[in-house]
Amino acid sequence: MRSRTHGLLDALDEAAAEGGPLTITDTGYEGAPEGFRMPHKKPQGGELTLDQTQFNKVIGAIRALAEKANADLKTRFKALRRVNLDPGRIGAVVAAALALFHFEKGRTA
């Protein structure tokens, strides 16, 4: 398996260790640090327990909300469809797009 080398895993794990939010991922982050929560994989030739199945459903429901938000932003803002910026710089672009999105939907404070 290819490891990710962009430092994001370390930064998120450090935030979780400091009492920050846990990071919810998909199964592609196998072997990630303690601060990450990912669905349980079905064991080869076995079944998941009821607790593992319920946990996977919760993780899936939470991830679905984030995936929907991401899709909405990418659909509305063409600039977000192919992003080649480093993760540290794209945050400002996404924040601006999100502010415009909320303004268009009448969700301003």
Side-chain angles (χ1 to χ4, degrees):
M1 184 167 108
R2 201 172 93 204
S3 74
R4 298 171 190 248
T5 59
H6 48 60
L8 183 60
L9 295 178
D10 294 333
L12 291 170
D13 188 47
E14 185 177 316
E18 294 172 0
L22 295 173
T23 302
I24 297 174
T25 68
D26 58 23
T27 54
Y29 289 83
E30 188 174 326
E34 292 267 329
F36 289 74
R37 296 295 181 263
M38 62 196 75
H40 295 281
K41 289 184 178 180
K42 182 177 170 185
Q44 199 171 35
E47 295 294 325
L48 294 175
T49 67
L50 180 60
D51 286 343
Q52 289 172 325
T53 302
Q54 293 300 317
F55 180 84
N56 286 358
K57 287 180 181 180
V58 170
I59 294 288
I62 294 169
R63 287 193 71 240
L65 294 171
E67 294 292 338
K68 172 72 169 115
N70 189 36
D72 286 345
L73 286 171
K74 285 183 174 183
T75 300
R76 177 63 185 96
F77 299 98
K78 190 175 181 180
L80 296 176
R81 290 183 196 153
R82 292 188 180 197
V83 176
N84 294 324
L85 298 174
D86 68 68
R89 293 184 60 203
I90 190 58
V93 175
V94 173
L98 187 58
L100 289 170
F101 187 76
H102 281 290
F103 181 76
E104 286 180 351
K105 300 289 183 181
R107 297 179 190 158
T108 58

